[in-house]
């Protein structure tokens, strides 16, 4: 007896202002399978998900669910059909308890009265069925990110989701937390739920996927059994070429001049952090999540107050008390969360790139539009931002191209020191290679770079030196000849 697909996507097409996001995309999803969906940023994955969730109306094609065909879905219909999406940015209400989040919008009760006991009992039974060890009476804000992910999935399961879409679910999880999530995915899968699993981490595709679908430039390039393809073939199919090296070679020497010197920097999270940054150097900051890396650079950038220590830029002591002051000194930062702290998604690319220099290219409150145009077009060309024009809203760009817009804003300000906090977070392998090349080009041009990365390969592959933090303190500095995963981990766990 043949098994019918739970979901069929037939020639779905979507065009945004001349840009084809989906070009006759077709795909089938079977009951009880994990289908990994991969592709570079801008490949069309997000638009495809939004078409299934009802957030986007396709221009052509159909979506079949349970044998019924639809030209488009809306959010209510999508949920009624059993399609549930767990986005990278979680949608739980942190001020409510776990059981309240699970039944949000579907509270149990009679005669207008909410029955908390029934909801607690139902939520606890659901958690036991899914093998999630959690007290449903806990407030969501007290949970780790990993357990919030589990609650999101449990919430979808409570609505009897037939199709569960997970968008970069492990982006903020540790290895142990990821395995906890995988156990839940396998449990949900065993109940017949079909799962679309989106990730830029190739190893996860092979760890959890049954099949893998590859998208590129709005097209569905191919669908494979995971057991019948290897990582090299998968990456080549994603980017349309074979990646021969993970990290581009460096063909220049780091200068001897000390551009930035930090002495005994302290704040609410870090204590007596000291290091030096040379001209044209990529200095990696290593350590476990929570070690204080981001907090240290935020104080250098003026985003967090210092309680002690000194900062010297090109031999002169500076005291940046805000990001605006830091930019004036010549220090810029590409933050970890580009959507929250990097771009203003509702503004065009032009406004985002020129945000830090409008005071220089304006007179009597009037913007020099020629200077603006030349600056923005120059950055689009230099950074290879994929866009039909400078007036496109930043929110309509892929994640990798949004990251380039943030970088363009920093470069437009003629910065001397550039801080990257997790520069390739949520970016596909092809875009990563582009970013690595860009960072090397910037360093070769004399820019000094501080790079925080939780990806060990990236930290080791891109850095000239690595300063390791643990529990808010510098515990070791590694020269290139000392680079190894073991050495980084040794210093990262000194104070634990």
């Amino acid at each position: 007896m043949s098994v019918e697909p739970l979901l069929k996507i037939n020639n779905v097409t979507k065009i945004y202002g001349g840009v084809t996001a989906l070009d006759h995309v077709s795909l089938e999803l079977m009951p009880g399978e994990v289908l990994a969906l991969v592709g570079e940023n801008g490949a069309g994955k997000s638009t495809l998900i939004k078409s299934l969730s009802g957030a986007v109306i396709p221009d052509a094609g159909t979506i079949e669910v349970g044998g019924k065909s639809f030209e488009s879905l809306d959010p209510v219909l999508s949920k009624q059909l059993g399609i549930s999406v767990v986005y990278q940015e979680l949608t739980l209400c942190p001020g409510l308890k776990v059981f309240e989040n699970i039944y949000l919008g579907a509270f149990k009760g009679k005669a207008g009265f909410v029955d908390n006991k029934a909801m607690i009992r139902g939520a606890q039974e659901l958690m036991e069925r899914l093998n999630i060890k959690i007290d449903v009476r806990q407030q969501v804000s007290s949970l780790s990110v990993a357990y919030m992910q589990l609650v999101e999935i449990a919430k979808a399961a409570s609505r009897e989701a037939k199709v569960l879409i997970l968008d970069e679910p492990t982006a903020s999880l540790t290895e142990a937390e990821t395995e906890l999530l995988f156990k839940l995915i396998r449990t949900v899968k065993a109940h017949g739920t079909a799962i679309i699993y989106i990730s830029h981490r190739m190893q996860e595709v092979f760890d959890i996927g049954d099949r893998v679908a590859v998208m590129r430039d709005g097209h569905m390039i191919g669908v494979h059994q995971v057991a019948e393809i290897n990582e090299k073939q998968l990456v080549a199919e994603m980017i349309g070429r074979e990646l021969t090296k993970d990290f581009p070679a460096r063909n220049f020497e780091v200068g001897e001049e000390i551009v930035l010197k930090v002495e005994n920097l302290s704040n609410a999270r870090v204590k007596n952090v000291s290091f030096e940054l040379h001209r044209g150097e990529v200095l990696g900051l290593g350590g476990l999540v929570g070690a204080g890396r981001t907090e240290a650079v935020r104080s250098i950038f003026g985003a967090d107050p210092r309680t002690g220590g000194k900062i010297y830029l090109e031999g002169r002591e500076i005291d940046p008390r805000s990001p605006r002051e830091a930019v004036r000194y010549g220090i810029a930062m590409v933050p970890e969360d580009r959507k929250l702290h990097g771009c203003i998604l509702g503004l065009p690319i032009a406004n985002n790139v020129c945000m830090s220099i409008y005071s220089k290219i304006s007179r009597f409150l009037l913007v020099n539009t020629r200077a603006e145009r030349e600056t923005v077009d120059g950055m689009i060309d230099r950074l290879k931002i994929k866009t039909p024009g400078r007036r496109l809203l930043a929110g309509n760009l892929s994640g990798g191209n949004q990251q380039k817009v943030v970088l363009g804003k920093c470069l437009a300000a003629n910065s001397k020191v550039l801080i990257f906090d997790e520069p390739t977070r949520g970016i596909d392998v092809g875009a990563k290679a582009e970013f690595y090349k860009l960072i090397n080009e910037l360093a070769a041009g004399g820019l000094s770079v501080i790079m925080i990365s939780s990806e060990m390969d990236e930290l080791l592959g891109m850095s000239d030196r690595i300063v390791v933090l643990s529990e808010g303190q510098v515990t070791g500095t590694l020269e290139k000849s000392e680079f190894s995963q073991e050495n980084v981990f040794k210093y990262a766990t000194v104070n634990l």
Side-chain angles (χ1 to χ4, degrees):
M1 183 177 176
S2 63
V3 178
E4 290 295 316
L6 275 177
L7 175 72
K8 290 179 73 174
I9 300 165
N10 303 310
N11 295 311
V12 167
T13 299
K14 181 63 183 179
I15 300 173
Y16 291 107
V19 176
T20 303
L22 296 176
D23 193 349
H24 296 87
V25 170
S26 296
L27 185 65
E28 291 185 352
L29 186 63
M30 307 303 291
E33 79 163 334
V34 176
L35 176 72
L37 181 62
V38 300
E40 295 188 85
N41 286 98
K45 304 186 301 295
S46 295
T47 305
L48 185 60
I49 292 172
K50 290 174 181 177
S51 297
L52 296 176
S53 70
V56 162
I57 297 176
D59 296 315
T62 60
I63 299 169
E64 291 183 34
V65 186
K68 296 180 180 179
S69 182
F70 304 88
E71 290 185 356
S72 66
L73 305 177
D74 59 54
V76 174
L77 177 59
S78 178
K79 289 180 181 178
Q80 288 174 347
L81 293 171
I83 299 173
S84 185
V85 184
V86 177
Y87 292 100
Q88 188 175 339
E89 291 84 11
L90 299 177
T91 59
L92 298 174
C93 296
L96 298 180
K97 294 179 171 60
V98 170
F99 77 88
E100 291 171 323
N101 271 277
I102 287 175
Y103 287 106
L104 194 62
F107 285 137
K108 289 187 175 184
K110 293 181 180 179
F113 292 94
V114 174
D115 190 341
N116 281 339
K117 289 183 179 179
M119 289 193 295
I120 291 171
R121 185 168 58 250
Q124 201 64 57
E125 289 172 357
L126 174 67
M127 294 300 179
E128 289 171 4
R129 178 162 60 87
L130 297 176
N131 295 316
I132 303 174
K133 294 178 173 57
I134 190 173
D135 184 351
V136 298
R137 294 164 294 187
Q138 275 184 272
Q139 193 159 309
V140 164
S141 60
S142 68
L143 300 176
S144 67
V145 174
Y147 274 95
M148 288 184 186
Q149 288 274 15
L150 301 187
V151 172
E152 283 268 30
I153 295 173
K155 181 179 178 179
S158 73
R159 311 292 167 87
E160 299 182 350
K162 297 181 178 68
V163 176
L164 180 61
I165 302 172
L166 303 178
D167 183 15
E168 295 284 351
T170 64
S172 302
L173 304 188
T174 65
E175 189 173 330
E177 290 171 335
T178 297
E179 187 51 43
L180 190 66
L181 176 66
F182 283 0
K183 285 181 180 179
L184 177 57
I185 290 173
R186 294 183 183 108
T187 300
V188 172
K189 169 186 168 180
H191 285 91
T193 301
I195 297 164
I196 297 177
Y197 187 94
I198 300 166
S199 179
H200 290 307
R201 298 177 177 178
M202 292 295 100
Q203 188 55 49
E204 293 182 2
V205 172
F206 295 93
D207 287 344
I208 199 67
D210 297 306
R211 290 190 300 149
V212 55
V214 183
M215 295 189 69
R216 186 174 74 238
D217 296 330
H219 295 84
M220 184 61 68
I221 301 301
V223 182
H224 310 275
Q225 295 292 330
V226 167
E228 296 174 359
I229 193 169
N230 60 41
E231 183 173 338
K232 186 178 180 181
Q233 293 168 327
L234 194 58
V235 170
E237 200 165 276
M238 285 170 57
I239 64 177
R241 62 191 186 280
E242 192 171 320
L243 284 181
T244 55
K245 292 183 180 179
D246 288 330
F247 304 99
R250 305 287 289 276
N251 54 8
F252 60 91
E253 295 292 328
V254 173
E256 294 185 5
E257 178 190 357
I258 297 173
V259 175
L260 182 73
K261 185 175 182 180
V262 178
E263 286 186 350
N264 299 315
L265 184 145
S266 300
N267 59 27
R269 183 68 188 87
V270 301
K271 182 179 180 183
N272 297 326
V273 168
S274 299
F275 61 81
E276 296 175 348
L277 176 67
H278 295 81
R279 178 80 63 193
E281 180 179 29
V282 177
L283 180 68
L285 290 190
L288 303 177
V289 174
R293 298 167 301 171
T294 295
E295 290 82 356
V297 297
R298 280 178 60 85
S299 279
I300 295 170
F301 188 56
D304 289 343
R306 282 179 290 132
T307 57
K310 296 181 178 181
I311 301 171
Y312 297 90
L313 184 66
E314 296 181 327
R316 180 169 66 96
E317 185 176 353
I318 62 172
D319 183 23
R321 294 174 180 265
S322 69
R324 177 177 292 183
E325 286 189 15
V327 170
R328 285 175 180 165
Y329 283 125
I331 300 174
M333 182 171 173
V334 178
E336 179 180 10
D337 192 331
R338 57 181 170 267
K339 292 184 178 180
L340 186 62
H341 300 123
C343 282
I344 298 179
L345 302 180
L347 289 181
I349 295 169
N351 296 129
N352 275 280
V353 168
C354 292
M355 197 175 300
S356 59
I357 62 167
Y358 272 129
S359 60
K360 296 179 182 178
I361 62 172
S362 300
R363 189 177 182 187
F364 305 123
L365 302 179
L366 295 177
V367 174
N368 183 332
T369 55
R370 180 179 177 182
E372 180 188 54
R373 182 174 64 253
E374 290 176 351
T375 298
V376 178
D377 288 349
M379 286 302 167
I380 289 173
D381 183 58
R382 179 182 180 184
L383 303 179
K384 296 180 175 62
I385 300 172
K386 294 179 182 178
T387 174
R390 73 183 81 89
R391 304 314 303 178
L392 185 73
L393 298 183
N396 290 336
L397 293 171
S398 68
N401 285 298
Q402 287 175 1
Q403 191 80 322
K404 289 180 182 180
V405 169
V406 181
L407 176 57
K409 176 178 66 175
C410 296
L411 298 180
N414 292 319
S415 306
K416 301 168 185 175
V417 173
L418 184 55
I419 302 169
F420 285 100
D421 191 355
E422 304 288 359
T424 62
R425 177 177 178 260
I427 292 178
D428 60 77
V429 288
K432 281 185 178 183
E434 279 190 66
F435 252 88
Y436 297 148
K437 185 179 177 182
L438 277 172
I439 291 172
N440 278 357
E441 288 174 355
L442 294 172
L447 194 65
S448 301
V449 176
I450 298 174
M451 185 187 74
I452 297 173
S453 180
S454 297
E455 295 189 27
M456 188 65 72
D457 289 346
E458 182 173 271
L459 187 69
L460 296 172
M462 287 300 298
S463 304
D464 295 304
R465 286 184 305 133
I466 298 174
V467 173
V468 186
L469 279 75
S470 178
E471 291 294 295
Q473 296 179 295
V474 173
T475 50
T477 300
L478 300 174
E479 300 296 331
K480 196 82 172 179
S481 60
E482 302 172 294
F483 282 10
S484 72
Q485 185 169 333
E486 291 75 18
N487 280 344
V488 173
F489 188 73
K490 177 181 71 176
Y491 287 117
T493 56
V494 165
N495 294 328
L496 301 183

